Amino acid sequence: MDIDQEVDTRGLNCPLPILKAKKALATMQSGQLLKVVATDTGSIRDFQAFAKQTGNELVDQQTVGEEFIHILRRR
């Protein structure tokens, strides 16, 4: 999977990971992939809701240790 942009939101709590992702997606082309690394446990459901509300595709979510990785495809 070729990631086009990555946002590090470690240590930030809701709603900052979503806001940073939204800002990054606004600069990207349709179809590009954004990787967001978060430590907020609520980010899993937050990114699921964000994808549904915005029409961006949530391609993958993983938990790696204490980090949550979210991959979004720009609509």
Side-chain angles (χ1 to χ4, degrees):
M1 196 177 320
D2 290 336
I3 302 299
D4 297 292
Q5 194 168 336
E6 184 170 336
V7 177
D8 182 354
T9 65
R10 292 178 188 106
L12 301 178
N13 292 322
C14 181
L16 291 174
I18 292 290
L19 293 174
K20 287 190 172 281
K22 186 175 181 180
K23 187 175 179 182
L25 285 166
T27 68
M28 298 171 68
Q29 301 290 321
S30 181
Q32 288 187 311
L33 293 177
L34 172 67
K35 176 181 180 179
V36 182
V37 182
T39 51
D40 179 9
T41 55
S43 67
I44 291 177
R45 69 176 181 280
D46 291 345
F47 275 97
Q48 291 168 353
F50 174 75
K52 283 183 184 157
Q53 290 171 357
T54 62
N56 294 297
E57 179 188 357
L58 184 60
V59 177
D60 191 28
Q61 286 185 306
Q62 298 176 10
T63 302
V64 180
E66 307 222 346
E67 295 179 346
F68 306 96
I69 299 173
H70 313 281
I71 309 291
L72 293 156
R73 184 182 314 277
R74 172 80 160 91
R75 62 176 162 85

